[in-house]
């Protein structure tokens, strides 16, 4: 069975179990109306889940879910995992043992000794006869619900619609168990009142064929056998993991990360597990289930030794337009030394997970804008540091708003300079139009700011802007927390040179003719110049705009 089939099977099983649980809790909530209403609901509930089809679906799902959980526990190369996964695993592994008491007392008792399990008898046992058992059962249901909700959340959270639906789903997730608990309490009180009537309990036990002592002993034995078998399976998995580790010996593969960090991981671990083992931050929004693509890495060395990606991995990589040397770290198990470059920042949000963007570095046609505040160094010399920072921050806020307002990405603020990218998510022509709109807005914004700060300034603020368009390699670059989307290449150098040329031409804006052509700007009235650049055979043809606000639209 392929990994895709296994995943689908697990998902289907989880869905059946969560549906069962939601209906079960809903049935409990009917206790808020009355015990009779609760019982009427149970009739429909058992009609569904005790039918042949319902039985097969429920117990089939339970078996599949449990067996696959144990199998995945065996397959995991490392038990290091994020906190939420620890909680999810812990709750899931505890559930079969916790549920055994209730399942044997209801379903198995009904099946093996013909004992009926109406709410009246079950609530009598849990609320009146043995309240600690009632607490146990309520806790077990809460754990099962929490386990299901965590699974659902981590399955749905990269869907584009999920952030909008999440508050509503959270409301349902909290309301349903709360109502179920209140329904149970209400039914408990009703049953306690009924139990005070002489003969009511005896009649109830007789009419529902409550298990006799010998039958109860047999049911306890069944429960114990199940618990023993489950415990044996769990221990078996852990022992098998240990044996596998010994069998693999001390053989380790070395996974090399940027900046020379190396993790020696036992053979058989995925790259993501190696990262976790070495304490290297590594994005994994779906928790290593091969769904989100955020763990993707570029294999810098050792690609030829890797086995080919399986179908599910191929599909995810194709969805994000990954290059041939890119693999999902959570699905790739290196068999020899390997060097990788994680392509997604560890702090990526789920909503960005499947965005086929430039995060992994790719060449794009885009517009690059550079801007600089004229004479700022001179101005800063005559001011207190506090004033310099104040003016600069006002300036950055002004130009930053102009850039993002036009649809660009302001990605670098250095000194009094700014670099911005346009067209990362749009066509090159649209990127050029955005860049020119931003240039106009920046010039207008700086003029307004200069007017506002006039009493503080010896001379008015003036800006110089250069814009060029062409191919550039765009990607997330940096280190540690300082990761940002930026671009490198000749187009960037030319844009920076055009910004410097604004000093030569004593103007606010210099644009390359390529930008004007792509943006559809009529340049007939704009002075034309040619700028020679080092390492370029041909000069760049530019148009000079005295005041950016006057640029023809
Ligand atoms: S962690 Fe989500 S695909 Fe690897």
């Amino acid at each position: 069975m392929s990994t895709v089939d296994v995943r689908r099977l697990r998902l289907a099983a989880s869905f059946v179990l969560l549906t069962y649980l939601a209906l079960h809790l809903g049935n409990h909530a009917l206790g808020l109306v009355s015990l009779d209403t609760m019982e009427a609901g149970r009739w429909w509930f058992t009609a569904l889940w005790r039918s042949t089809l319902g039985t097969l679906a429920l117990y089939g799902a339970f078996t599949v879910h449990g067996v696959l959980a144990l199998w995945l526990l065996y397959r995991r190369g490392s038990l290091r995992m994020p906190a939420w996964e620890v909680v999810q695993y812990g709750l899931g592994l505890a559930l079969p043992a916790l549920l055994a008491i209730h399942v044997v007392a209801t379903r198995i008792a009904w099946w093996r000794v013909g004992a009926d399990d109406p709410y009246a008898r079950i609530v009598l046992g849990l609320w009146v006869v043995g309240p600690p058992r009632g607490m146990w059962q309520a806790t077990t249901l809460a754990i099962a619900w929490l386990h299901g909700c965590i699974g659902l959340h981590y399955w749905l959270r990269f869907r584009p619609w999920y952030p909008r639906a999440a508050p509503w789903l959270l409301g349902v997730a909290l309301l349903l168990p709360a109502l179920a608990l209140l329904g149970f309490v209400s039914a408990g009180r009703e049953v306690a009142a009924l139990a005070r009537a002489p003969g009511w309990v005896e009649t109830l036990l007789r009419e529902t064929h409550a298990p006799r002592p010998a039958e109860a002993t047999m049911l306890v034995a069944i429960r114990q056998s199940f618990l023993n078998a489950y415990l044996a399976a769990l221990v078996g998995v852990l022992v098998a993991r240990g044996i596998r580790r010994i069998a693999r010996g001390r053989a380790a593969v070395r996974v090399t990360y940027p900046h020379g960090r190396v993790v020696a991981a036992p053979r058989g671990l995925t790259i993501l597990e190696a990262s976790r083992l070495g304490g290297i931050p590594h994005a994994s929004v779906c928790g290593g289930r091969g769904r989100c693509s955020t763990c993707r890495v570029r294999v810098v060395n050792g690609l030829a030794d890797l086995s080919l990606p399986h179908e599910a991995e191929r599909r995810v990589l194709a969805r994000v337009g990954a290059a041939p040397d890119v693999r999902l770290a959570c699905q790739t198990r290196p068999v020899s030394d390997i060097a990788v470059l994680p392509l997604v920042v560890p702090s990526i949000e789920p909503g960005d997970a499947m965005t086929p963007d430039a995060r992994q570095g790719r060449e794009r046609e885009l517009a690059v804008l550079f801007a600089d505040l004229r004479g700022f160094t001179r101005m800063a010399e005559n001011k207190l540091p506090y004033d310099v920072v104040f003016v600069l921050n006002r300036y950055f806020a002004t130009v930053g708003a102009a850039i993002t307002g036009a649809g660009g990405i302001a990605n670098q603020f250095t000194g009094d300079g700014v670099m911005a990218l346009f067209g990362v998510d749009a066509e090159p022509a649209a990127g050029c139009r955005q860049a020119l709109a931003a240039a106009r807005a920046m010039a207008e914004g700086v003029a307004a700011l200069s007017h506002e700060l006039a009493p503080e300034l010896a001379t008015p603020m003036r800006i110089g802007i250069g814009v060029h368009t062409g191919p550039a390699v765009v990607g997330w670059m940096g280190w540690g927390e300082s990761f940002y989307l930026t671009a490198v290449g000749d187009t960037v150098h030319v844009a920076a040179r055009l910004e410097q040329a604004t000093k030569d031409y004593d103007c606010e804006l210099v644009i390359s003719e390529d930008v004007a052509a792509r943006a559809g700007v009529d340049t007939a009235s704009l002075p034309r110049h040619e700028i020679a650049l080092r390492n370029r055979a041909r000069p760049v043809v530019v148009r000079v705009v005295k005041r950016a606000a006057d640029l023809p639209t």
Side-chain angles (χ1 to χ4, degrees):
M1 190 183 284
S2 74
T3 313
V4 182
D5 295 335
V6 169
R7 196 178 300 152
R8 284 196 189 128
L9 198 59
R10 191 153 180 252
L11 206 59
S14 307
F15 185 71
V16 170
L17 294 175
L18 199 60
T19 306
Y20 175 86
L21 200 52
L23 292 177
H24 201 34
L25 291 174
N27 200 166
H28 290 1
L30 292 178
L32 281 169
V33 182
S34 71
L35 187 63
D36 285 345
T37 311
M38 210 179 183
E39 193 53 41
R42 194 187 80 92
W43 188 89
W44 290 104
F45 184 77
T46 51
L48 172 63
W49 295 107
R50 289 187 185 177
S51 66
T52 309
L53 204 61
T55 301
L56 281 175
L58 178 60
Y59 289 92
F62 190 76
T63 308
V64 165
H65 197 69
V67 168
L68 288 183
L70 292 175
W71 181 69
L72 288 174
L73 182 63
Y74 169 74
R75 277 207 65 197
R76 279 193 94 97
S78 159
L79 292 183
R80 285 198 190 206
M81 53 186 112
W84 72 267
E85 259 195 289
V86 174
V87 173
Q88 179 72 338
Y89 251 97
L91 296 179
L93 291 175
L95 272 174
L98 292 172
L99 284 169
I101 298 174
H102 186 62
V103 174
V104 171
T106 53
R107 176 68 186 235
I108 304 296
W110 170 78
W111 173 49
R112 292 302 300 267
V113 301
D116 201 4
D117 52 345
Y119 267 109
R121 186 166 76 74
I122 300 303
V123 173
L124 178 75
L126 297 178
W127 182 266
V128 181
V129 179
R133 277 197 286 134
M135 298 277 289
W136 173 280
Q137 182 55 20
T139 308
T140 302
L141 266 187
I143 288 175
W145 185 243
L146 182 61
H147 176 72
C149 289
I150 292 176
L152 193 66
H153 168 71
Y154 280 95
W155 175 52
L156 292 178
R157 70 182 189 148
F158 359 91
R159 317 282 150 149
W161 52 265
Y162 187 64
R164 285 193 308 280
W168 299 95
L169 292 175
L170 180 64
V172 173
L174 294 175
L175 202 61
L176 192 55
L179 290 176
L181 193 60
L182 291 174
F184 172 61
V185 170
S186 176
R189 287 188 175 152
E190 203 175 329
V191 168
L194 290 169
R196 283 196 283 275
W200 185 85
V201 171
E202 292 74 14
T203 307
L204 176 70
L205 296 181
R206 190 176 58 253
E207 287 181 350
T208 57
H209 312 291
R212 288 186 287 271
E215 292 169 336
T217 307
M218 186 257 288
L219 291 172
V220 169
I222 290 176
R223 187 181 75 207
Q224 199 54 49
S225 303
F226 170 79
L227 289 176
N228 292 344
Y230 179 62
L231 191 65
L234 206 52
V235 171
V237 167
L238 295 176
V239 169
R241 285 179 58 88
I243 293 172
R244 182 185 62 191
R245 189 162 186 173
I246 293 167
R248 282 177 180 160
R250 299 179 64 82
V253 292
R254 287 161 54 86
V255 183
T256 305
Y257 296 83
H259 307 290
R261 288 172 296 176
V262 178
V263 174
R267 201 183 292 259
L269 259 60
T270 64
I271 297 170
L272 180 64
E273 286 169 335
S275 302
R276 288 175 178 169
L277 196 66
I280 291 177
H282 201 139
S284 57
V285 166
C286 73
R289 288 166 172 74
R291 294 185 199 141
C292 67
S293 88
T294 56
C295 63
R296 59 190 184 263
V297 292
R298 167 157 294 131
V299 181
V300 181
N301 209 350
L303 183 67
D305 292 342
L306 294 176
S307 56
L308 291 174
H310 54 67
E311 188 200 335
E313 183 184 351
R314 272 206 307 275
R315 210 178 309 150
V316 172
L317 290 172
R319 211 173 329 156
V320 293
D325 58 350
V326 171
R327 297 293 299 266
L328 294 184
C330 68
Q331 305 297 313
T332 308
R333 297 175 193 274
V335 291
S336 59
D337 292 354
I338 189 171
V340 298
L341 170 69
L343 294 172
V344 178
V345 282
S347 56
I348 186 171
E349 294 295 323
D352 297 332
M354 292 303 290
T355 310
D357 59 13
R359 285 167 206 272
Q360 59 189 4
R362 67 168 60 159
E363 197 174 76
R364 287 195 65 88
E365 288 282 335
L366 78 170
V368 181
L369 177 152
F370 272 85
D372 185 61
L373 208 48
R374 291 282 163 265
F376 186 78
T377 312
R378 216 170 35 253
M379 183 192 104
E381 282 168 4
N382 302 321
K383 285 197 161 294
L384 293 172
Y386 172 84
D387 293 335
V388 173
V389 171
F390 171 76
V391 173
L392 266 185
N393 279 333
R394 290 293 309 273
Y395 162 69
F396 285 144
T398 302
V399 297
I403 290 164
T404 52
I409 299 168
N411 71 324
Q412 275 184 40
F413 292 93
T414 47
D416 55 348
V418 177
M419 172 182 166
L421 309 177
F422 296 85
V424 172
D425 298 316
E427 290 299 308
C432 289
R433 285 195 294 273
Q434 290 173 350
L436 296 185
R440 272 187 225 105
M442 288 163 78
E444 285 168 359
V446 168
L449 182 66
S450 177
H451 183 70
E452 185 191 330
L453 301 180
E456 313 287 327
L457 304 171
T459 53
M461 293 169 98
R462 289 181 59 216
I463 192 170
I465 306 168
V467 186
H468 182 52
T469 184
V473 175
V474 184
W476 284 82
M477 300 177 209
W479 184 77
E481 296 299 307
S482 308
F483 252 88
Y484 54 89
L485 189 73
T486 191
V488 291
D490 186 54
T491 301
V492 179
H493 298 306
V494 173
R497 176 69 185 88
L498 299 196
E499 177 264 306
Q500 288 163 10
T502 58
K503 292 177 200 161
D504 306 332
Y505 300 125
D506 189 26
C507 65
E508 277 187 340
L509 177 62
V510 172
I511 60 174
S512 67
E513 203 147 69
D514 292 345
V515 171
R518 277 187 166 165
V521 172
D522 179 4
T523 55
S525 62
L526 299 175
R528 180 182 183 280
H529 294 274
E530 291 185 354
I531 298 178
L533 292 169
R534 234 185 309 153
N535 301 332
R536 269 200 162 220
R538 288 181 175 185
V540 179
V541 180
V542 300
R543 294 287 174 166
V544 170
V545 186
K546 187 79 179 164
R547 283 169 27 91
D550 297 338
L551 184 70
T553 52

